[in-house]
């Protein structure tokens, strides 16, 4: 239990109330508190690579809400960027990232990631990741939209799954790492939980760990930590169609926002131009951009090419340009998809480069060596998130954010393809270095009380949660999607506000469960995206509004 004097916890007013005494005593006895040097929330590339580095110096506990490999990392297809061979150079990778970022990148962050990438790739290889090689033993490099060189290391079209496999194997073997699967982090612990009034500007605001819901016992446990690392991934499920698996509900961002950490660039949601059009399926299956890098061409339903009207790089233009072009052509024609055509390439080569996509399409009756692939844009990646500095420190002491939930400034207004896996491992490394240099300065804050859910009931209104989650997706997709306007954003804001009020009211009355916590988080994240979109009075990068149609930044 929390080590606060029991008397103070059961008689907070100082006067005996014996009914309250027994109820609270039972709660305290049943309550479980854990202590760990490093608490990591999330088991994707960011969380696992941090854990492997920190575990050399202290005990690491990873909590993850599903099985370990349920994460965006496991779905990554195209690959991971790193300057590997001439004629590529750091300068070219930096320039491509800055151009794609639409004038909003933090140049120091770009330089850090690009220059640290080769060393972090070596770490991934040392942990067991296998990247594809050509017959002469050199790494085979892909190219995707916005890249002027081939610089994407990959493992077939299953790069993320290979990285995740290697990291999980290393983590499982490490004696200093405890993994708690099916553990859902609900909220971060700060001075707020000690009864202090805190704001985003409170000096000395610090994180002491998290309240975590054990999804098997349904108990809420306290995990006290010297450092907490939020590596909880993206928020694709805030939209009704996404490439992200169902775990990507923006929990880390919402948790940090509630704890009063700063978030930024939330309006820059990246829509991937080419997910497979197969309406019955969730998440949307991705058709990697590497296929366009390999020569695949976008076509209208009548077979015509159209990207030459939009950008000199045609089908390989930056992602936001391609997604908007497809959206425009679909809206103009009232069609639900366009086609991606790779049929002019050698069938054996297609099968060997894209075995996963080939099999998937075949399973729904499309032989991509002979037939066009129907594709549609959908929500894919969050460029913004929890604001961090070059050491991955958030605005709250003892709290780091790494990976997709963080905003390092690398991506600016639009992410260059395949720059996110490398960002995750570079910043996990930075967080590990920074925390290891400070770990001896802190102790556990044992004054944190146990989670208090006295008086709450189990939720008999599941239908409300499912319906509200669907509504969040519809609001965000229709009003805060690829094309926005002041009116649409205002409408989203009003609708989300109502959902927020109703959900917070329900949350106070019912026992915390995964579904209500996720709903709260999605509403929170939807609100942040909408608010920051309203504040941006221009079209830039991924944020396009018809009220400011002239782009503040021109890629050409
Ligand atoms: P994730 O890998 O998503 O991990 C987040 C973890 O947090 C998960 O384990 C989740 O269960 C856990 N979690 C979340 N909330 C909680 C909670 N409340 N409590 C406990 N645990 C929680 N990027 C590239 O660079 N190259 C690519 O080729 C590429 N392809 C992609 C293809 C697809 C289909 C998708 C979806 C993404 C792709 N990306 C790609 C993006 C990239 O995969 C992600 O940005 C990156 O993997 C994020 O890693 P992460 O560790 O930050 O998050
Ligand atoms: C893809 O393979 O197209 C996805 C790459 C990315 O999102 O970085």
């Amino acid at each position: 239990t929390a080590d606060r004097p029991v008397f103070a916890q059961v008689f907070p007013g100082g006067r005996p109330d014996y009914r309250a005494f027994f109820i609270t005593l039972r709660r305290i006895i049943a309550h479980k508190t854990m202590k760990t040097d490093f608490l990591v929330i999330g088991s994707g590339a960011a969380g696992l690579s941090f854990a492997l580095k920190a575990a050399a110096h202290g005990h690491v506990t990873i909590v993850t809400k599903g099985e370990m490999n349920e994460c965006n990392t496991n779905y990554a297809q195209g690959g991971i960027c790193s300057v590997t061979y001439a004629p590529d150079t750091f300068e070219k990778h930096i320039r491509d990232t800055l151009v794609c970022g639409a004038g909003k990148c933090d140049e120091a962050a770009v330089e850090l990631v690009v220059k640290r990438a080769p060393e972090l790739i070596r770490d991934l290889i040392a942990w067991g990741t296998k990247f594809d090689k050509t017959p002469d033993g050199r790494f085979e490099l892909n190219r995707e939209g916005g890249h002027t060189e081939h610089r994407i290391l990959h493992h077939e079209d299953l790069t993320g799954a290979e990285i995740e496999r290697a990291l999980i194997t290393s983590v499982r073997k490490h004696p200093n790492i405890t993994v708690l699967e099916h553990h859902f982090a609900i909220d971060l612990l700060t001075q707020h939980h000690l009864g202090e009034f805190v704001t985003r500007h409170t000096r000395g605001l610090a994180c002491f760990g998290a309240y975590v819901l054990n999804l098997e016992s349904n108990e809420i446990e306290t995990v006290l930590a010297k450092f907490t690392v939020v590596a909880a991934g993206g928020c694709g499920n805030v939209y009704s169609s996404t490439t992200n698996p169902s775990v990507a509900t923006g929990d880390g961002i919402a948790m940090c926002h509630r704890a009063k950490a700063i978030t930024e660039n939330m309006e820059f949601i990246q829509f991937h131009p080419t997910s497979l059009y197969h309406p019955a399926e969730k998440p949307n299956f991705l058709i990697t951009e590497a296929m366009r890098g390999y020569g695949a061409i976008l076509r209208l339903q009548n077979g015509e090419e159209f990207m030459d009207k939009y950008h000199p790089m045609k089908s390989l233009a930056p992602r936001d340009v391609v997604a908007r072009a497809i959206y425009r052509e679909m809206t103009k024609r009232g069609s639900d998809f366009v086609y991606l055509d790779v049929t002019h390439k050698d069938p054996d080569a297609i099968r060997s480069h894209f075995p996963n996509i080939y099999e998937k399409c075949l399973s729904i009756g499309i032989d991509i060596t002979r037939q066009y692939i129907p594709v549609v844009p959908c929500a894919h990646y969050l460029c913004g998130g929890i604001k961090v500095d070059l050491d991955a420190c958030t605005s709250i002491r003892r709290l780091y954010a790494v990976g997709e939930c963080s905003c390092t400034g690398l991506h600016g207004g639009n992410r260059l393809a395949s720059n996110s896996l490398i960002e995750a491992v570079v910043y996990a490394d930075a967080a590990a270095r920074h925390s290891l240099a400070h770990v001896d300065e802190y102790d556990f804050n044992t004054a944190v009380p146990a989670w208090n859910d006295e008086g709450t009931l189990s939720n008999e209104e599941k239908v409300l949660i499912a319906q509200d989650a669907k509504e969040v997706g519809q609001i965000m997709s229709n009003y805060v999607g690829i094309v926005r306007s002041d009116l649409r954003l205002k409408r989203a804001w009003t609708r989300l506000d109502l959902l927020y009020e109703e959900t917070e009211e329900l949350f106070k009355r019912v026992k915390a469960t995964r579904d209500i916590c996720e709903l709260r988080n999605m509403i929170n994240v939807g609100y942040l995206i909408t608010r920051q979109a309203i504040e941006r009075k221009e079209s830039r990068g991924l944020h396009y509004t018809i009220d400011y149609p002239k782009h503040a930044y021109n890629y050409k």
Side-chain angles (χ1 to χ4, degrees), residues 79-365:
I80 180 164
C81 282
S82 176
V83 172
T84 306
Y85 306 122
D88 199 8
T89 60
F90 287 151
E91 287 66 34
K92 288 185 189 171
H93 189 186
I94 289 173
R95 196 177 56 231
D96 290 350
T97 304
L98 292 175
V99 168
C100 197
K104 285 291 291 172
C105 297
D106 177 327
E107 292 193 20
V110 176
E111 195 168 321
L112 175 79
V113 172
V114 168
K115 293 193 171 164
R116 297 277 299 134
E119 187 180 329
L120 271 298
I121 293 288
R122 282 194 285 278
D123 285 348
L124 287 175
I125 292 169
W127 286 322
T129 309
K130 292 187 171 46
F131 293 114
D132 287 359
K133 292 191 171 168
T134 55
D136 61 358
R138 285 161 63 94
F139 288 109
E140 187 185 74
L141 302 175
N142 276 345
R143 188 176 159 208
E144 295 180 38
H147 290 272
T148 53
E149 291 292 347
H150 284 75
R151 65 167 70 95
I152 301 167
L153 294 121
H154 67 105
H155 177 95
E156 299 176 349
D157 52 358
L158 288 167
T159 309
E162 170 61 10
I163 292 176
E164 186 70 10
R165 179 203 61 73
L167 290 172
I168 289 179
T169 308
S170 300
V171 161
R172 293 256 187 236
K173 280 198 257 176
H174 207 296
N176 236 1
I177 304 178
T178 302
V179 181
L180 301 174
E181 290 176 307
H182 307 289
H183 278 65
F184 184 101
I186 298 181
D187 262 322
L188 299 170
L189 304 170
T190 67
Q191 287 91 335
H192 170 75
H193 298 93
L194 306 177
E196 293 175 29
F197 176 72
V198 296
T199 74
R200 242 162 272 288
H201 308 290
T202 300
R203 289 182 61 161
L205 191 57
C207 180
F208 312 125
Y211 286 129
V212 176
L213 170 63
N214 177 335
L215 295 167
E216 274 151 5
S217 68
N218 290 323
E219 296 294 335
I220 295 176
E221 302 165 1
T222 306
V223 184
L224 297 177
K226 292 182 181 166
F227 289 108
T228 303
V229 180
V230 179
C235 66
N237 287 282
V238 164
Y239 287 85
S240 52
S241 66
T242 178
T243 58
N244 294 189
S246 63
V247 289
T249 49
D251 301 347
I253 298 147
M255 243 181 278
C256 284
H257 176 68
R258 284 195 293 271
K260 310 278 186 254
I262 295 171
T263 58
E264 68 174 11
N265 289 0
M266 295 289 296
E267 69 276 33
F268 296 123
I269 297 290
Q270 188 165 68
F271 290 80
H272 199 292
T274 57
S275 75
L276 180 64
Y277 175 74
H278 189 222
E281 195 169 24
K282 222 174 166 192
N284 286 29
F285 181 82
L286 185 75
I287 308 294
T288 178
E289 194 160 304
M291 195 173 266
R292 277 174 283 137
Y294 183 70
I297 297 164
L298 284 162
R299 295 185 187 279
L300 297 173
Q301 287 192 13
N302 63 11
E304 253 175 59
E305 278 189 54
F306 60 93
M307 276 311 298
D308 46 346
K309 283 190 288 187
Y310 293 93
H311 197 280
M313 288 172 89
K314 299 187 190 169
S315 293
L316 264 190
R319 234 174 236 188
D320 62 318
V321 176
V322 183
R324 270 196 302 276
I326 296 177
Y327 176 91
R328 181 133 186 249
E329 295 296 333
M330 279 172 33
T331 320
K332 216 158 63 183
R333 293 173 165 73
S335 47
D336 293 333
F337 58 85
V338 294
Y339 281 121
L340 187 67
D341 166 21
V342 73
T343 55
H344 49 287
K345 293 286 195 179
D346 172 56
D348 287 336
I350 294 174
R351 278 188 286 266
S352 101
H353 269 85
F354 306 106
N356 176 41
I357 294 175
Y358 173 76
E359 287 300 334
K360 170 71 197 182
C361 290
L362 205 56
S363 77
I364 59 163

Side-chain angles (χ1 to χ4, degrees), residues 42-43 45-46 64-65 71-73 76 78-79 185 232 251 381 403-404 418 420-421:
S43 58
T64 189
K65 65 177 163 177
C71 55
N72 280 2
T73 300
D251 301 347
Y381 184 83
E404 187 165 342
S418 290
S420 45
L421 284 168

Side-chain angles (χ1 to χ4, degrees), residues 14 50 111 366 368 389 403 451 493 500:
F50 172 88
E111 195 168 321
I366 302 165
I368 66 172
D389 66 13
W451 175 267
W493 173 275
Y500 172 79

Side-chain angles (χ1 to χ4, degrees), residues 466-515:
Q467 173 56 28
D468 289 355
K470 209 182 277 174
E471 216 173 310
V472 174
Q474 286 165 349
I475 294 169
M476 295 303 291
S477 293
N478 291 325
Y479 303 143
V480 201
I482 297 176
V483 173
R484 301 164 181 180
S485 73
D486 285 347
L487 191 60
R488 292 181 207 185
L489 294 175
K490 185 159 178 289
R491 189 153 294 188
W493 173 275
T494 319
R495 302 286 193 278
L496 287 170
D497 198 41
L498 181 63
L499 285 173
Y500 172 79
E501 295 292 337
E502 290 172 349
T503 307
E504 287 304 303
E505 195 47 46
L506 186 63
F507 187 71
K508 279 187 220 142
R509 290 194 282 116
V510 300
K511 297 227 174 289
T513 54
R514 173 172 169 172
D515 56 0

